[in-house]
Amino acid sequence: PRLATRRSADIVIIGGGFTGVSTAWHLRQRHPDLGIVLLEAGVLGHGASGRNGGQVLHGVNGVTAETPETLRRIHDVTRLGIDLAEQWANQYAPPGTFRRQGCLEVYTDPHRAEQAQARVEAWRGAGIAAEFLPAHTLGIQHACGAILDPHAGRLNGFALLQAMRPVLEGAGVTVCEDTPVQRVRPGAEVVVEAPHGEVRARAVVLATNAYTPALGFFRRGIVPLHSHVLATAPLADSEWARIGWG
């Protein structure tokens, strides 16, 4: 239900995506006595966490590792996130929510394919499982090569976050959906205002991604972006076989 009263808590979390739900879950595991309230404007997974392409990958966009040690560290840290998504999906979510079948990064330009092959050699030298697949092994039209990450996966983020609602509630976290936060008043006691109620807490977690500037925070540091994926109509098996992208 939406927040409809004045409440007090130790921590109020704004945002019911991956960050907000994960924060609530980890805090509850480590500190069972904390009073935690999570506020979400729509439903859990309403934002980018439930609207993305579902690729669960190693690495961090925009971060280039200069040494094998840094490369291993980034890979190990992001693997922990993949492992956690798999754990949650297997334990709480419907079958098929998470599939760890690897990921292909396909190159249609010969020069970029050569660069990709060199990257894979560096990764393997750092002890990271990756493989470069030359064009003749792929059977994909116009492909010049591909990187295979065998431990990447695909996640239905919306299904996972919906499945986490009863998990959080069962652990004692108060979850309020349909509760857009209108104002955050910082101070020794943080006051979070919503249309039909408010929460007073000792600390606030802003788990709102690109929505954060709307709350008055990081207006000079966060730029909202939208990316769009174009999809065809469903293809027949014969068409998949012809183009090689099955």
Side-chain angles (χ1 to χ4, degrees):
R2 68 171 60 170
L3 178 69
T5 60
R6 291 184 174 180
R7 300 183 61 101
S8 296
D10 294 303
I11 297 179
V12 55
I13 299 169
I14 306 173
F18 292 142
T19 302
V21 168
S22 179
T23 299
W25 186 84
H26 282 287
L27 283 172
R28 174 56 70 216
Q29 298 297 310
R30 298 181 187 188
H31 304 284
D33 55 329
L34 282 180
I36 303 171
V37 175
L38 187 153
L39 306 178
E40 163 56 45
V43 297
L44 297 189
H46 174 80
S49 297
R51 299 172 187 264
N52 61 78
Q55 299 178 73
V56 186
L57 311 175
H58 292 96
V60 180
N61 274 343
V63 177
T64 302
E66 301 294 339
T67 65
E69 292 74 20
T70 304
L71 186 60
R72 278 195 299 271
R73 181 171 176 235
I74 293 173
H75 192 273
D76 290 345
V77 167
T78 49
R79 189 188 67 240
L80 291 175
I82 299 176
D83 291 345
L84 181 62
E86 184 176 41
Q87 173 193 331
W88 280 1
N90 290 342
Q91 189 169 355
Y92 304 122
T97 297
F98 185 94
R99 291 183 290 169
R100 201 165 191 167
Q101 297 173 313
C103 174
L104 277 181
E105 186 171 329
V106 180
Y107 295 90
T108 57
D109 174 81
H111 180 62
R112 294 186 67 211
E114 290 177 7
Q115 293 176 323
Q117 186 172 10
R119 280 203 306 279
V120 168
E121 291 172 0
W123 293 348
R124 292 175 69 87
I128 294 172
E131 185 178 353
F132 181 79
L133 304 179
H136 70 272
T137 67
L138 294 171
I140 298 175
Q141 285 188 24
H142 310 302
C144 298
I147 295 176
L148 171 63
D149 179 350
H151 301 302
R154 292 177 64 192
L155 172 69
N156 182 335
F158 186 76
L160 177 61
L161 291 168
Q162 289 288 297
M164 292 301 295
R165 185 195 297 108
V167 176
L168 293 182
E169 292 179 329
V173 176
T174 299
V175 178
C176 298
E177 297 179 313
D178 190 24
T179 304
V181 172
Q182 297 173 310
R183 185 183 178 196
V184 178
R185 301 207 311 265
E189 182 182 57
V190 182
V191 180
V192 177
E193 300 176 356
H196 306 286
E198 68 177 30
V199 179
R200 294 176 176 266
R202 292 190 291 128
V204 60
V205 175
L206 301 174
T208 41
N209 202 341
Y211 297 103
T212 308
L215 298 176
F217 299 92
F218 304 113
R219 284 177 173 164
R220 294 180 179 269
I222 295 176
V223 178
L225 289 175
H226 296 269
S227 59
H228 301 272
V229 174
L230 302 181
T232 70
L235 301 180
D237 290 343
S238 59
E239 188 67 7
W240 280 114
R242 186 185 69 81
I243 62 178
W245 285 91

